[in-house]
């Protein structure tokens, strides 16, 4: 661990308003089971799962209904017991319509029981099989299949596992509440990750605006007898502290090389919610079909941190919380910096849905963007040391093949550049357009 404080990254970063007071004190609340679930087959990074059921099939809660035949993918399980009423398509904020299974819940069915399972004597391959079979993916938003992430290239040695409890996006408090209310489960998940990786030490990184979560995790680490190899570190508050590369630098002083992976500097990073899902999969035998979702913003009648099954729609969430207010002008999946605005409420919650924001015009004002004024603020804000200003100019002129020289593929679209731009230029959107054009071959 670095000896010199403050614990943070060195390049760039911004300080958007937290706006977490709306939900940070709200305890986890179970979302009542709904009559119908729209279960997306694209809840992860990689190829969509293939539906394994057909219309009319009876399914049990936790039964596998989507399978993968590729390296990058994740199994999908039924969130309830019921009947498949259709196999069609559902909206996705990035991919457009994707395959989905619609299930009508049996109101008479009892919820599936969980049974504690021995894991401490298992070899890594068996633990990985449980994680894969449960369909666990990165719950922080990226959705990378967890079993794949736990298998770094054979020529690389992992000595450090990092749990990401930063949650630096405005409004979001799902991870905060999970750390407060289920710290022991998260620490057990971390113990499983350490055993699987063969790593000798771990950090749990939490921004110091969550002192109660820091205290809860430190107590849980001590209770588990893991104080000698697990450090709970309070980090400075700075966005995007929760990005993998920035978090690794803040905690270890190591810098992931351009184009490299955390494994290239001996690290694996997992979200705290992912560690919780790993615990449930390996120690309880429960598949991944439930998560905590922060529903916030002043455009919804009531805010909450909901524990809900995947497949509930945004309309279901809003109805449960009293409905959408007339003042709402935008609905965002995820946080306001890296999330995606959606055009309707028929989108289903997936394993990667950390937040749903209903924002008013005051919270999300609209601007007309102007030309770049060459002020350089976006360069100062970029945590990767890139040149978003130049990339945006090339994108405007549709000269996409000129963008990579300014760091196009290193950009992880945190939005810091857009946040500080005085001309209100949609820099992230320009960058996304450049990536999409070049990937499709249309930008050359």
């Amino acid at each position: 661990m670095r000896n010199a404080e403050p614990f943070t990254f060195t390049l760039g970063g911004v300080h958007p308003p937290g706006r977490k007071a709306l939900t940070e004190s709200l305890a986890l609340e179970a979302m009542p089971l709904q009559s119908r679930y729209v279960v997306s087959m694209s809840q992860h990074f990689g190829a969509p799962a293939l539906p394994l059921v057909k219309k009319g099939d009876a399914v049990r809660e936790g039964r596998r209904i989507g399978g993968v035949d590729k390296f990058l993918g994740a199994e999908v399980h039924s969130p309830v017991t019921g009947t498949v009423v259709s196999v069609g398509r559902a909206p996705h904020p990035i991919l457009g319509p994707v395959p989905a299974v619609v299930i009508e819940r049996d109101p008479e069915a009892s919820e599936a029981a969980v049974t504690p399972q021995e894991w401490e004597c298992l070899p890594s391959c068996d633990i990985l099989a449980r994680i894969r079979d449960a369909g666990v993916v990165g719950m922080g938003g990226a959705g990378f299949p967890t079993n794949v992430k736990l298998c770094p290239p054979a020529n690389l040695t992992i000595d450090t596992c990092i749990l990401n409890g930063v949650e630096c996006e405005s409004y979001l408090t799902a991870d905060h509440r999970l750390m407060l209310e289920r710290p022991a489960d998260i620490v057990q998940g971390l113990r499983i990750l350490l055993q699987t990786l063969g790593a000798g030490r771990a950090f749990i990184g939490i921004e110091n605006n969550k002192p109660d979560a820091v205290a809860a995790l430190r107590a849980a680490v001590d209770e588990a007898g893991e104080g000698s190899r697990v450090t709970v570190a309070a980090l400075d508050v700075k966005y995007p502290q929760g990005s993998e590369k920035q978090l690794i630098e803040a905690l270890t002083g190591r810098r992931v090389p351009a184009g490299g992976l955390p494994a290239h500097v001996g690290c694996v990073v997992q979200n705290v919610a992912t560690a919780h899902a790993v615990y449930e999969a390996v120690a309880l035998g429960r598949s991944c079909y439930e998560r905590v979702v922060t529903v916030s913003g002043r455009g919804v009648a009531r805010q909450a941190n909901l524990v809900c099954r995947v497949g509930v729609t945004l309309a279901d969430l809003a109805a449960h919380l009293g409905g959408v207010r007339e003042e709402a002008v935008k609905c965002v999946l995820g946080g306001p910096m890296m999330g995606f605005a959606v055009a309707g409420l028929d989108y289903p919650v997936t394993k990667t849905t950390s937040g749903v924001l209903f924002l008013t015009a005051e919270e999300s004002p609209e601007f007309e963007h102007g030309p770049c004024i060459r002020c350089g603020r976006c360069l100062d804000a970029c945590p990767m040391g890139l040149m978003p200003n130049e990339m945006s100019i090339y994108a405007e002129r549709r000269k996409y093949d000129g963008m990579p020289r300014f760091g196009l593929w290193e950009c992880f679209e945190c939005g810091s550049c857009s946040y500080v731009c005085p001309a209100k230029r949609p820099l992230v959107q320009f960058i996304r357009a450049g990536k999409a054009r070049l990937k499709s071959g249309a930008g050359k």
Side-chain angles (χ1 to χ4, degrees):
M1 186 175 180
R2 298 174 63 188
N3 294 319
E5 295 186 8
F7 297 120
T8 190
F9 55 96
T10 52
L11 276 178
V14 295
H15 295 86
R19 294 177 175 169
K20 295 176 183 286
L22 288 170
T23 55
E24 64 186 356
S25 63
L26 301 179
L28 298 181
E29 172 185 339
M31 171 86 178
L33 294 178
Q34 303 296 296
S35 60
R36 182 169 288 211
Y37 286 78
V38 181
V39 186
S40 171
M41 295 291 109
S42 288
Q43 304 192 44
H44 50 265
F45 185 90
L50 302 173
L52 302 175
V53 292
K54 62 183 185 302
K55 182 179 179 179
D57 283 354
V59 294
R60 301 286 303 175
E61 176 185 337
R63 174 188 163 178
R64 192 168 67 116
I65 59 173
V68 293
D69 58 2
K70 299 182 184 302
F71 179 63
L72 276 180
E75 311 282 351
V76 178
H77 301 79
S78 176
V80 292
T81 296
T83 303
V84 175
V85 295
S86 70
V87 178
R89 304 185 82 79
H92 186 285
I94 302 173
L95 305 174
V98 296
V101 173
V102 180
I103 299 170
E104 191 167 280
R105 182 176 68 90
D106 177 0
E108 303 300 321
S110 56
E111 293 191 38
V114 296
T115 304
Q117 300 184 12
E118 172 58 41
W119 62 268
E120 293 184 284
C121 297
L122 292 179
S124 294
C125 59
D126 288 350
I127 293 178
L128 286 170
R130 288 190 185 182
I131 294 171
R132 179 200 62 212
D133 293 346
V136 180
V137 303
M139 309 285 273
F144 202 88
T146 300
N147 61 298
V148 177
K149 200 170 184 179
L150 294 174
C151 294
N155 61 328
L156 300 177
T157 299
I158 303 300
D159 62 15
T160 304
C161 180
I162 295 174
L163 285 196
N164 183 353
V166 174
E167 201 169 49
C168 56
E169 276 267 20
S170 304
Y171 290 97
L172 303 186
T173 57
D175 289 350
H176 185 181
R177 294 308 310 185
L178 194 65
M179 289 188 287
L180 278 180
E181 299 184 40
R182 302 181 185 176
D185 295 351
I186 292 171
V187 171
Q188 289 305 307
L190 176 57
R191 292 182 65 230
I192 295 169
L193 294 172
L194 282 169
Q195 179 167 319
T196 306
L197 291 164
R201 67 171 184 171
F203 297 108
I204 304 175
I206 305 170
E207 284 190 326
N208 61 21
N209 60 354
K210 307 176 190 66
D212 49 0
V214 173
L217 265 300
R218 283 177 175 165
V221 167
D222 290 342
E223 180 69 21
E226 292 289 352
S228 62
R229 63 172 180 168
V230 179
T231 300
V232 180
L235 301 156
D236 270 8
V237 177
K238 185 167 71 169
Y239 181 88
Q241 192 89 257
S243 166
E244 274 192 343
K245 293 181 178 178
Q246 281 62 40
L247 186 58
I248 290 170
E249 182 192 355
L251 290 171
T252 70
R254 302 173 184 174
R255 301 192 71 171
V256 180
L261 299 170
H264 287 111
V265 293
C267 296
V268 165
V269 181
Q270 298 283 356
N271 183 269
V272 290
T274 309
H276 184 265
V278 165
Y279 162 73
E280 291 198 325
V282 177
L284 301 180
R286 189 176 197 228
S287 298
C288 184
Y289 53 82
E290 184 177 84
R291 68 156 299 135
V292 180
V293 179
T294 297
V295 184
S296 189
R298 298 196 180 281
V300 65
R302 181 168 73 87
Q303 296 80 29
N305 290 301
L306 294 177
V307 181
C308 56
R309 306 280 173 92
V310 301
V312 296
T313 65
L314 306 191
D316 294 331
L317 298 180
H320 172 63
L321 296 173
V324 180
R325 297 174 59 198
E326 290 184 3
E327 295 89 338
V329 297
K330 182 185 288 184
C331 179
V332 176
L333 286 181
M337 297 292 280
M338 295 188 72
F340 290 85
V342 293
L345 300 184
D346 54 345
Y347 289 77
V349 166
T350 70
K351 300 172 187 177
T352 63
T353 308
S354 56
V356 180
L357 308 182
F358 295 94
L359 303 178
T360 64
E362 182 180 359
E363 295 173 298
S364 182
E366 293 188 359
F367 298 99
E368 291 290 333
H369 76 268
C372 177
I373 60 173
R374 301 286 186 179
C375 66
R377 293 186 188 178
C378 59
L379 280 67
D380 292 336
C382 180
M384 297 299 291
L386 311 180
M387 300 179 71
N389 55 341
E390 297 292 346
M391 286 190 272
S392 74
I393 292 169
Y394 273 78
E396 274 187 313
R397 296 174 181 173
R398 300 189 178 185
K399 295 183 177 179
Y400 302 107
D401 56 348
M403 298 174 71
R405 81 183 73 167
F406 302 107
L408 180 71
W409 302 114
E410 282 299 298
C411 175
F412 60 91
E413 304 169 14
C414 69
S416 296
C417 53
S418 299
Y419 179 75
V420 299
C421 178
K424 306 301 180 187
R425 290 171 63 75
L427 299 170
V428 172
Q429 284 70 28
F430 283 133
I431 289 169
R432 286 174 179 163
K435 289 179 178 177
R437 288 283 184 169
L438 291 178
K439 286 179 179 176
S440 68
K444 298 180 179 178

